[in-house]
Amino acid sequence: MMDKIRDWFGFGPMTQGMGGHGHDHGEGGHGHTHGVIDPTIATTTRGIWAIKWSFVVLAITSALQLVVVLLSGSVALLADTIHNVGDAVTAIPLWVAFMLARRKPSKTFTYGLGRVEDLAGILIVLIILFSAIVAGYEAIDRLIHPQPITFLGWVAVAGLVGFLGNEAVAVFRIRVGREINSAALIADGYHARTDGFTSLAVVLGAIGVWLGFPLADPIIGLLITIAIFAIVWQSSKAVLTRMLDGVEPGIVEEISHAAEHVRGIERVAQVQARGIGHRLHADVAIKVADTATAKDLVGITEALRGELFNHLPALSEANIRLEGEGGPVVASSGHAHHAPDPFKVACDLATGTLEIVDTPAGERMRLTIDSHADDLGATVIIDRPQGPETLPLGPVAGDHHRLESIVAPAEPHEFEAKLILTAKGKEQVLPFKMVEPEGHHH
């Protein structure tokens, strides 16, 4: 019974439930940052749901604490409230990014508007920095000019509310993280649990004042402020790293590890990766045997692409090129060189991008999904003069966030069509039109 209770509250090992490939790279390496959402969370509907409800709980907690701050004048509680607000607003850039990411890529923003998440992250870091400066100023001012604190009992209760709010978020994130096999969300849950003890420090400060040591409150407030400055430093590094196309070193290691699962790859010559919002783009150069046939090359590149999507849930696109002794010999890109503009999918059953892409096996119709309902099915029906062309879309290498046709859409690639999505007895029909770029009409 005690084991079940401990497990429900998330006091088990962090690795529990981490299935997948029998390995867990970079576990615990996700920093507790504000303004940046980990891609492994943001690419799953359940993960996004967990972040949204975490925001609600912490927002309510912060609002209750703010009321007591205004009544009591406690700077320790003020600092802790700022800390909890910083945790809550982490969800804002995710929401902004998802709203703007639904916009169709344009000739100016050819990759869409995913980078807005990084801009929102910088704004949030600056807001937290300003708030930390205010909290620090208030704490130092109270040390120099002590003032009486009222409603000590309510200050202690507000500290307990902060602890309980963070603990609720911790239990929630850990449980959902185990359900979706997200080491990042589990780690964030344990960070929330640690933040709860910061709130308990407010209770200690109130007890110290009650025992006749009035400086206990500003001292606790100053210590919490120092912790907030540490968070600002860590978060600003994370945001700037992403803005400069940086990724965690574990991403590069994971890409190289994925190549180890593919027979026929002699070595990985080069690995490059960058994040665009919460989606990851990768470029990989591999060396294969000189005796490999064209059929072998197609099989190797497709196998590697499948492994990459399996190992990296946040991966949006993988470009693979083959290199000989003298340099690159052929490039394999996920996009067709004369493909029409993609169609942005946004409905109750799924959000994502439908496009015609170039693969080693030829052109294919591909639906890359950001979020979707359970048991999603997809079919494209193209209006042709000779009759409708039907292209069922199925998962590629078991990846349900990447659905692809098994044959190429017929030429020309300029047509009116409809995407039919089904899930649990519900159906949605999304009409769309594709037009080839100028100069590529048939």
Side-chain angles (χ1 to χ4, degrees):
M1 177 62 71
M2 287 302 298
D3 289 340
K4 289 183 178 180
I5 294 176
R6 285 172 53 82
D7 180 66
W8 195 93
F9 279 100
F11 283 100
M14 286 182 62
T15 54
Q16 179 176 333
M18 299 306 296
H21 307 279
H23 57 274
D24 185 15
H25 297 269
E27 182 185 319
H30 301 277
H32 186 41
T33 59
H34 301 268
V36 176
I37 300 295
D38 192 282
T40 62
I41 302 173
T43 50
T44 60
T45 304
R46 185 75 167 159
I48 297 168
W49 179 76
I51 293 297
K52 287 181 178 179
W53 278 105
S54 296
F55 166 76
V56 171
V57 173
L58 287 175
I60 293 173
T61 300
S62 302
L64 293 175
Q65 287 185 311
L66 183 60
V67 172
V68 180
V69 168
L70 296 177
L71 292 174
S72 66
S74 169
V75 292
L77 185 58
L78 171 64
D80 188 53
T81 302
I82 290 173
H83 188 191
N84 288 324
V85 168
D87 280 339
V89 297
T90 304
I92 294 177
L94 176 66
W95 179 82
V96 173
F98 266 72
M99 292 300 101
L100 293 179
R102 292 181 178 181
R103 295 188 178 183
K104 185 178 180 180
S106 64
K107 292 182 179 179
T108 302
F109 301 102
T110 56
Y111 285 93
L113 295 172
R115 291 255 184 235
V116 73
E117 181 181 335
D118 300 327
L119 296 177
I122 286 184
L123 178 61
I124 287 174
V125 168
L126 291 176
I127 291 174
I128 298 174
L129 174 62
F130 175 76
S131 302
I133 292 173
V134 172
Y137 171 82
E138 291 291 334
I140 294 173
D141 182 65
R142 290 293 179 87
L143 284 172
I144 299 174
H145 306 100
Q147 297 181 19
I149 299 174
T150 57
F151 301 99
L152 282 177
W154 284 108
V155 172
V157 170
L160 288 174
V161 168
F163 169 76
L164 293 175
N166 277 287
E167 181 60 23
V169 168
V171 171
F172 183 58
R173 288 178 177 176
I174 292 170
R175 286 179 61 81
V176 176
R178 288 174 176 173
E179 289 177 13
I180 65 175
N181 289 341
S182 171
L185 191 54
I186 292 174
D188 212 26
Y190 280 98
H191 282 302
R193 176 162 288 157
T194 303
D195 290 343
F197 292 106
T198 303
S199 296
L200 287 181
V202 175
V203 180
L204 294 178
I207 294 174
V209 174
W210 181 70
L211 292 175
F213 185 57
L215 293 182
D217 181 74
I219 290 174
I220 293 294
L222 194 58
L223 292 176
I224 296 176
T225 300
I226 293 172
I228 298 175
F229 274 115
I231 290 172
V232 170
W233 172 250
Q234 184 182 22
S235 299
S236 61
K237 289 196 299 181
V239 172
L240 290 174
T241 296
R242 288 203 181 183
M243 289 199 71
L244 296 174
D245 283 346
V247 296
E248 294 181 7
I251 296 294
V252 175
E253 296 173 3
E254 188 72 4
I255 292 174
S256 298
H257 176 81
E260 296 175 3
H261 289 264
V262 180
R263 182 177 300 176
I265 296 179
E266 293 187 345
R267 65 181 176 88
V268 177
Q270 186 180 34
V271 173
Q272 292 176 297
R274 61 173 178 156
I276 298 180
H278 55 272
R279 305 297 298 184
L280 187 67
H281 291 245
D283 291 274
V284 187
I286 59 174
K287 176 70 173 64
V288 301
D290 295 335
T291 56
T293 64
K295 184 177 180 180
D296 294 334
L297 297 180
V298 171
I300 291 171
T301 54
E302 278 300 285
L304 177 55
R305 184 173 283 108
E307 288 291 341
L308 290 173
F309 278 97
N310 284 338
H311 282 70
L312 299 166
L315 188 63
S316 174
E317 198 59 62
N319 299 320
I320 302 169
R321 65 179 185 273
L322 306 175
E323 291 200 353
E325 297 301 328
V329 294
V330 64
S332 171
S333 172
H335 294 281
H337 66 283
H338 65 281
D341 289 336
F343 168 63
K344 279 291 181 182
V345 177
C347 66
D348 294 339
L349 297 183
T351 60
T353 304
L354 181 68
E355 58 191 331
I356 298 176
V357 300
D358 236 353
T359 74
E363 292 179 327
R364 295 290 184 267
M365 183 72 74
R366 177 185 296 170
L367 174 61
T368 303
I369 301 172
D370 293 326
S371 62
H372 66 88
D374 294 335
D375 302 323
L376 180 72
T379 302
V380 173
I381 300 180
I382 302 173
D383 293 332
R384 300 287 189 188
Q386 65 273 24
E389 176 187 3
T390 303
L391 297 173
L393 307 183
V396 179
D399 183 5
H400 292 278
H401 285 264
R402 185 165 164 259
L403 307 181
E404 210 171 87
S405 62
I406 60 175
V407 297
E411 297 283 0
H413 291 165
E414 185 163 316
F415 50 75
E416 293 185 356
K418 53 189 175 183
L419 171 64
I420 302 177
L421 300 175
T422 58
K424 293 186 176 180
K426 186 176 181 181
E427 179 180 281
Q428 288 188 323
V429 180
L430 306 177
F432 67 95
K433 183 177 181 180
M434 286 197 167
V435 179
E436 290 191 346
E438 185 175 354
H440 290 285
H441 297 280
H442 293 266

